[in-house]
Amino acid sequence: GGSAEIRDNLIISNTATWAGGLRIINNAQATIVGNEIRGNVATNSAGGIDVDCCGGSRPLIARNLIAQNDGGSRGGGVVVLSTQAEMVNNMVVGNKAELGAGVYLEGSDAYPVSATLTHNTLVAGPAGGEALYVSGAATATVVNNISAEHTTGITLTAPASSQLALDHNLFWNAS
């Protein structure tokens, strides 16, 4: 539980096993607004921001620069696991990870993901990767976003029960 407002900070050049920049866990409520989250490294997951477990939180991630982070195996910019999140007006630029260089969403049957991405700009770095990677039990609503230079715009590996709604997005120069 608990809550936090994380506003107008520089979160730069940190290293961790999980979540190089920020980690919001255990149903914590968070407002993450106006930050520069840059150059962070996580060896396992979430170079920039990790929102994790267990369905009770719905953090707002808005107007941040999330750039040049390395998420290792998944989620270079942002990871949302087994909970909810709303991302609005972020610049997610030049991040890298094996899966989901920009944003990685994954849920389970017990704790599905519900995420809304609106008015974000996702630009790949030299490594390419997916702008958005969706896995497991997930519902994602993706509206008015721009994705540029990613190897893949969206990868969906979720079960048939998962839902992905896309409306008015631009995917540019995906290979």
Side-chain angles (χ1 to χ4, degrees):
S3 65
E5 181 171 318
I6 303 162
R7 185 180 299 269
D8 300 325
N9 294 285
L10 298 174
I11 302 166
I12 299 175
S13 298
N14 298 290
T15 301
T17 303
W18 302 97
L22 293 171
R23 190 166 196 207
I24 310 300
I25 61 173
N26 297 332
N27 296 322
Q29 301 299 320
T31 301
I32 304 166
V33 177
N35 300 286
E36 181 177 334
I37 302 165
R38 177 189 298 274
N40 300 290
V41 176
T43 54
N44 283 341
S45 179
I49 298 172
D50 178 21
V51 179
D52 193 348
C53 202
C54 291
S57 65
R58 185 169 180 88
L60 172 63
I61 302 168
R63 298 188 319 272
N64 298 287
L65 172 61
I66 304 165
Q68 300 164 337
N69 298 290
D70 184 343
S73 63
R74 60 185 178 185
V78 178
V79 170
V80 178
L81 297 174
S82 299
T83 194
Q84 305 173 51
E86 183 175 0
M87 289 184 62
V88 181
N89 290 332
N90 296 285
M91 295 286 296
V92 183
V93 179
N95 298 287
K96 67 179 182 177
E98 290 176 30
L99 301 173
V103 178
Y104 180 95
L105 308 174
E106 182 179 341
S108 66
D109 289 338
Y111 298 106
V113 163
S114 175
T116 302
L117 285 72
T118 310
H119 300 293
N120 297 287
T121 301
L122 298 99
V123 180
E130 298 97 353
L132 175 61
Y133 189 96
V134 182
S135 179
T139 300
T141 303
V142 183
V143 179
N144 288 337
N145 296 281
I146 298 171
S147 170
E149 301 286 335
H150 285 90
T151 309
T152 305
I154 297 174
T155 296
L156 177 64
T157 64
S161 62
S162 294
Q163 298 177 0
L164 180 61
L166 303 169
D167 190 19
H168 292 90
N169 296 286
L170 171 64
F171 295 92
W172 181 77
N173 205 28
S175 55

